[in-house]
């Protein structure tokens, strides 16, 4: 709206402390229609925004359902495989149940050649730095959000990788905060280092990094970390717990097939979620534009009458 745009243009202060001057609100000139017309406008907006809000809620429910379905597909694939007719056996682990007969059950520490916790100090960021810092906020199940990443210069980068460099196909994993339990693969085309509350894993040559990454995103792995978070206001998973995660392990070739299958399915769900989110964004823009038009007289709603319920 015009009010918000003007307010934003006059903001002062730094970072999250930016604010508008008191005089802006006190001296803001606004058109004021007669009271009767004000009531009609508010009735119109209550009615129309309620319809838009219902459509937004519907799209949000769709996104939630798609996320649930996505998680179900991942969890089933990495614990049961892709063949519905395969012979099964008891895994010996209550929460895991049965796994394919030819699979074994191992632990994360036996599936990796490298498990590294991040340096426990906050990085010194640099807007012009040439290296990206992977934080928990930049991580979503299976994805890295490069656009949100902060940067550091070479000196800070070398300090952040002093325990181990992040290589292509290493796995980054969040072990604290709201996004704990999220994992993604490191791509090949940028230099990255770990931010706070992050870990990295390097799969053994006999383990598919893609398959292992999806295992770490699965509910069957998440429930193991939950044991450390019961009652915690700030979730925090111990490194010892993570190292000892139980993981079903098929033969390497099957791991590769399952990993590729999940990647394709995840992309399909991402497209559907993206379409729903774009619909939400458009509806929110429509809501804002409608309010602005109604309260500034750009549309005439004086003859508005809400539809009567049947």
């Amino acid at each position: 709206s015009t009010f918000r745009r003007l307010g934003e243009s006059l903001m002062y202060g730094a970072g999250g402390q930016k604010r508008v001057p008191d005089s802006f609100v006190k001296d803001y000139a606004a058109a004021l229609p007669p009271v009767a017309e004000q009531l009609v406008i508010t009735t119109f907006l209550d009615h129309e925004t309620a319809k838009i809000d219902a459509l937004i809620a519907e799209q949000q429910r769709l996104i939630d359902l798609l996320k649930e379905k996505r998680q179900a597909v991942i969890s089933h694939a990495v614990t049961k495989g892709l063949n519905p007719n395969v012979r099964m056996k008891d895994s010996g682990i209550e929460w895991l149940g049965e796994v394919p007969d030819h699979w074994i059950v191992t632990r994360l520490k036996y599936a990796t050649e490298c498990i590294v916790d991040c340096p426990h100090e906050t990085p010194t960021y640099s807007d012009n730095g040439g290296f990206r810092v992977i934080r928990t906020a930049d991580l979503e199940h299976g994805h890295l959000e490069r656009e949100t990443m902060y940067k550091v210069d070479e000196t800070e980068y070398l300090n952040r990788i002093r325990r181990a460099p992040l290589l292509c196909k290493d796995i980054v994993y969040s072990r604290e905060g709201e996004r704990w339990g999220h994992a993604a693969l490191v791509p090949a085309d940028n230099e990255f280092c770990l931010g706070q509350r992050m870990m990295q894993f390097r799969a053994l040559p006999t383990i598919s990094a893609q398959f292992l990454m999806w295992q770490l995103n699965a509910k069957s792995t998440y429930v193991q970390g939950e044991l450390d978070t019961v009652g915690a206001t700030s979730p925090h998973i111990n490194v010892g717990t993570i190292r000892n995660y139980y993981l079903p392990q098929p033969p390497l070739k099957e791991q590769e097939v399952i990993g590729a299958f999940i990647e394709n399915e995840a992309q399909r769900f991402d497209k559907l979620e993206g379409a729903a989110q774009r619909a939400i964004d458009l509806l929110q823009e429509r809501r804002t534009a409608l309010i602005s038009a109604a309260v500034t007289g750009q549309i005439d709603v004086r003859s508005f009458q809400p539809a009567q319920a049947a």
Side-chain angles (χ1 to χ4, degrees), residues 238-272:
N238 295 314
V239 173
T241 298
I242 295 168
R243 287 174 53 84
N244 286 290
Y245 281 160
Y246 284 103
L247 302 172
Q249 182 181 313
L252 177 58
K253 178 56 70 174
E254 191 173 355
Q255 293 176 36
E256 292 170 348
V257 171
I258 293 172
F261 166 80
I262 296 175
E263 185 67 32
N264 287 335
E265 288 295 288
Q267 290 179 9
R268 183 170 67 88
F269 282 113
D270 288 345
K271 288 180 181 178
L272 293 171

Side-chain angles (χ1 to χ4, degrees), residues 117-267:
D117 194 16
C118 65
H120 291 176
E121 65 264 356
T122 303
T124 300
Y125 300 114
S126 171
D127 291 340
N128 299 317
F131 303 89
R132 298 177 187 269
V133 182
I134 301 175
R135 305 164 300 145
T136 59
D138 307 319
L139 196 63
E140 187 67 36
H141 293 299
H143 297 287
L144 289 177
E145 301 291 343
R146 299 188 191 193
E147 294 76 13
T148 65
M149 289 183 185
Y150 291 177
K151 296 179 180 179
V152 294
D153 61 21
E154 185 176 10
T155 299
E156 184 63 19
Y157 166 76
L158 292 173
N159 179 54
R160 298 300 297 178
I161 65 166
R162 64 183 184 269
R163 296 177 180 175
L166 268 178
L167 304 181
C168 176
K169 292 190 177 180
D170 278 0
I171 299 165
V172 287
Y173 182 80
S174 170
R175 70 180 185 89
E176 291 187 35
E178 292 181 359
R179 290 196 179 186
W180 79 264
H182 292 228
L185 287 175
V186 175
D189 55 347
N190 280 98
E191 297 286 350
F192 297 91
C193 59
L194 295 177
Q196 282 285 65
R197 303 181 292 279
M198 296 294 301
M199 294 183 70
Q200 75 184 88
F201 312 128
R202 190 168 300 149
L204 289 171
T206 54
I207 300 294
S208 163
Q210 186 183 52
F211 177 79
L212 179 57
M213 181 272 292
W214 287 120
Q215 278 191 310
L216 290 165
N217 281 297
K219 183 66 175 177
S220 56
T221 306
Y222 189 85
V223 296
Q224 299 176 65
E226 281 185 313
L227 297 175
D228 284 353
T229 68
V230 175
T233 55
S234 179
H236 172 104
I237 315 303
N238 295 314
V239 173
T241 298
I242 295 168
R243 287 174 53 84
N244 286 290
Y245 281 160
Y246 284 103
L247 302 172
Q249 182 181 313
L252 177 58
K253 178 56 70 174
E254 191 173 355
Q255 293 176 36
E256 292 170 348
V257 171
I258 293 172
F261 166 80
I262 296 175
E263 185 67 32
N264 287 335
E265 288 295 288
Q267 290 179 9

Side-chain angles (χ1 to χ4, degrees), residues 101-123:
D101 188 61
H102 61 290
W103 291 20
I104 65 172
V105 177
T106 186
R107 292 179 184 265
L108 179 61
K109 61 186 177 184
Y110 301 133
T112 54
E113 63 180 47
C114 169
I115 295 178
V116 180
D117 194 16
C118 65
H120 291 176
E121 65 264 356
T122 303

